[in-house]
Amino acid sequence: MLWRISSFLLCQVAGGLGGWLLARERGAIAGLVAGGLVWLLLDLARGGRFVRWLRQGAESDPPVGVGLWGEAADRVRRALRARERSAEEATDRLQAFLAAIQASPNGVVLLDPDGRIEWSNQTAAHHLGIDPQRDLMQAIGNLLREPAFSAYNAQNDYSHDVVIPGRDTAPGRPLRLSVQLHPYGQGRKLLLSRDVTGVEQAETMRRDFVANVSHEIRTPLTVLGGFIETLQNLPLSPAEQTRYLALMAQQAGRMQTLVSDLLTLSRLEGSPPPGAGEWTPVAALLAQCEQDARALSAVLGKSSHEFAFDAPQAMEVAGAGPELLSAMSNLVSNAVRYTPVGGRIQVQWRPLSEGRAEFSVRDTGPGIAPEHLPRLTERFYRVDRSRSRETGGTGLGLAIVKHVVQRHGGELRIDSAPGAGSTFSLVFPASRVRTLRRSPGAADARPATATP
Ligand code: ADP
């Protein structure tokens, strides 16, 4: 303001003085008027430059530096900078927010009041088979044509979700999606999609498991009930009674084995993996397996099985001894149960490369067709249902074996073909295997690394 007054006064003084020198009083008055006009023209020119600068977006340096116009330019520039900064901050916040939604494991789609896609994250694109760029502003109903979703989208009750097949669904790998719409704002909707394949599979498995257990228990229970009724209602001879009681004991035993296998499985699932501090001699495990196998062979009336047990004396395996014995013994008993009279069963422990070791059971039984192999470790999966039941099988043996070996860091391998017998092997990692080095004449043995 000071600059404005002083520049005006300067023009007046210069005009007045000039006029006075040229024509005394009259000249001074004319000079004052001329000075005022010059100041006004100069001021208008500066105002014009200021307005032009504003029209150009006020991005360059202001054309007027001092005075009222200069101050106005400075304030405009500061206000613009502040607005730019807050716009940048808002953009950064929006980007961070979108990046967070992008990282979400759930699919997120923002829909406008007409159901058109305004934004979607990559997970939603993958789930629903949409392209976040190409399908912008496309109606979701046109892109997602699953009938269940169309019906859901058409109604006005979005309090629950709808489960539909995912875009990547393949026959062997069905993808199931839970999709739910959440209204917000002025008629907009948020679509959330969640992969529920695992949850649905777990639920199916749980249902199947309960159905299988009920079925397995119901069969012997029905038989037992029948015998009890017979004993109650019919006058049986002592010999008949003894025979019936033996059959009843057999059915009760079957239920006991089933319950015991179920408890073993649940114990294996619910407890932490066994540590590697407890070492069990392999020879002792194989000796116990051999004893059980010969006893089972005798019970099944197949004493003519030919056995070959081959265990190195000095090897040890780390983990829970009883678990390892039950896994090994399960494989050996399967070989005995499924191999016909006269068959050969070969049980072996041998070192593998890199310090690993393998326990294998090879039999000359009927072998297993390739389509069954991937499913053998499923609970209650049986290839030969009647043979399994006849020989006291529960259908849980291989599921237990797989759990045990995995808890010990190893794996179960199955090699079998119809007519060519089967080989079931447990492969243990180097950390669970050691060879004891015996010094001649010494009673003690000390551990050494396993050598293939
Ligand atoms: P089960 O109690 O019925 O034997 P398992 O889980 O131990 O249950 O085995 C699953 C199925 O795998 C068996 O029902 C049987 O059909 C098949 N199987 C297992 N071991 C052998 C084997 N050595 N030879 C042929 N089939 C086998």
Side-chain angles (χ1 to χ4, degrees):
M1 201 59 179
L2 190 67
W3 193 89
R4 200 171 173 77
I5 294 169
S6 27
S7 65
F8 179 72
L9 287 177
L10 199 68
C11 285
Q12 293 282 284
V13 170
L17 258 176
W20 173 264
L21 288 176
L22 288 174
R24 299 296 152 186
E25 287 92 2
R26 283 169 146 215
I29 292 167
L32 282 175
V33 172
L37 277 174
V38 167
W39 181 87
L40 191 65
L41 283 175
L42 283 173
D43 196 55
L44 278 177
R46 296 183 80 223
R49 283 212 301 280
F50 173 72
V51 171
R52 249 197 322 279
W53 174 73
L54 275 186
R55 281 199 194 122
Q56 283 162 2
E59 275 168 1
S60 55
D61 283 343
V64 277
V66 286
L68 198 66
W69 293 118
E71 191 180 331
D74 196 40
R75 285 181 187 273
V76 164
R77 213 160 50 149
R78 266 193 246 167
L80 279 176
R81 281 217 191 115
R83 190 178 294 181
E84 267 168 24
R85 255 200 312 275
S86 80
E88 270 168 23
E89 277 168 18
T91 312
D92 286 351
R93 270 201 303 275
L94 179 67
Q95 288 307 329
F97 180 68
L98 291 180
I101 305 183
Q102 201 58 273
S104 158
N106 293 337
V108 181
V109 184
L110 305 183
L111 301 172
D112 74 1
D114 295 324
R116 290 178 306 203
I117 298 175
E118 286 186 316
W119 186 87
S120 67
N121 69 354
Q122 281 301 337
T123 313
H126 168 71
H127 280 169
L128 310 172
I130 56 179
D131 186 317
Q133 302 304 323
R134 191 197 57 210
D135 294 331
L136 271 187
M137 299 319 285
Q138 295 290 323
I140 189 75
N142 291 343
L143 299 171
L144 215 59
R145 291 183 167 276
E146 187 59 37
F149 177 76
S150 304
Y152 174 77
N153 194 21
Q155 57 166 20
N156 261 334
D157 175 17
Y158 305 125
S159 56
H160 60 94
D161 65 341
V162 60
V163 177
I164 58 171
R167 188 41 79 98
D168 270 3
T169 293
R173 199 173 49 85
L175 185 68
R176 304 284 294 162
L177 290 180
S178 148
V179 175
Q180 187 161 10
L181 289 168
H182 301 270
Y184 75 100
Q186 303 277 308
R188 292 171 191 279
K189 287 188 206 99
L190 173 74
L191 182 152
L192 293 182
S193 63
R194 195 160 51 93
D195 184 346
V196 290
T197 316
V199 179
E200 289 227 328
Q201 269 170 359
E203 181 54 23
T204 312
M205 274 169 70
R206 191 193 63 79
R207 267 200 305 268
D208 288 354
F209 182 69
V210 172
N212 277 323
V213 171
S214 315
H215 177 77
E216 294 291 330
I217 290 184
R218 199 178 49 200
T219 316
L221 263 184
T222 314
V223 179
L224 265 178
F227 283 138
I228 291 171
E229 225 176 275
T230 313
L231 284 170
Q232 280 173 333
N233 300 325
L234 292 180
L236 299 173
S237 68
E240 278 173 328
Q241 279 187 9
T242 312
R243 193 167 67 83
Y244 276 37
L245 285 172
L247 289 170
M248 287 167 73
Q250 194 185 10
Q251 295 304 322
R254 196 172 140 187
M255 281 197 290
Q256 239 163 8
T257 317
L258 176 67
V259 171
S260 137
D261 275 1
L262 286 170
L263 286 175
T264 304
L265 260 180
S266 98
R267 225 182 4 254
L268 290 175
E269 280 173 346
S271 61
E278 186 195 325
W279 292 88
T280 310
V282 172
L285 291 171
L286 263 72
Q288 186 63 51
C289 283
E290 180 170 4
Q291 197 179 321
D292 294 349
R294 291 189 189 279
L296 180 65
S297 181
V299 169
L300 294 175
K302 296 180 189 169
S303 304
S304 56
H305 275 135
E306 189 189 324
F307 288 105
F309 279 81
D310 178 13
Q313 282 305 310
M315 290 198 82
E316 290 190 331
V317 57
E323 274 184 34
L324 291 167
L325 177 63
S326 101
M328 293 172 173
S329 179
N330 244 307
L331 294 184
V332 178
S333 86
N334 274 359
V336 174
R337 287 165 48 227
Y338 295 106
T339 304
V341 176
R344 181 179 158 80
I345 293 161
Q346 195 181 346
V347 181
Q348 195 186 31
W349 176 280
R350 67 183 179 108
L352 298 180
S353 62
E354 293 156 8
R356 295 168 309 140
E358 179 192 68
F359 168 83
S360 64
V361 182
R362 180 191 299 262
D363 64 48
T364 54
I368 304 161
E371 67 269 23
H372 297 295
L373 295 180
R375 302 198 57 191
L376 285 186
T377 54
E378 282 175 25
R379 291 153 193 213
F380 300 111
Y381 188 85
R382 293 156 162 130
V383 180
D384 185 345
R385 198 159 279 275
S386 58
R387 180 99 209 92
S388 163
R389 292 236 168 81
E390 264 169 38
T391 55
T394 59
L396 296 172
L398 290 180
I400 292 176
V401 172
K402 187 178 167 191
H403 259 291
V404 169
V405 73
Q406 283 181 345
R407 280 159 59 79
H408 287 80
E411 58 172 318
L412 167 67
R413 291 181 185 166
I414 307 172
D415 181 17
S416 184
S422 311
T423 304
F424 288 78
S425 338
L426 307 179
V427 177
F428 293 96
S431 57
R432 297 264 176 185
V433 180
R434 74 178 181 191
T435 306
L436 296 180
R437 208 179 281 142
R438 284 174 190 279
S439 44
D444 283 353
R446 50 195 180 81
T449 3
T451 40

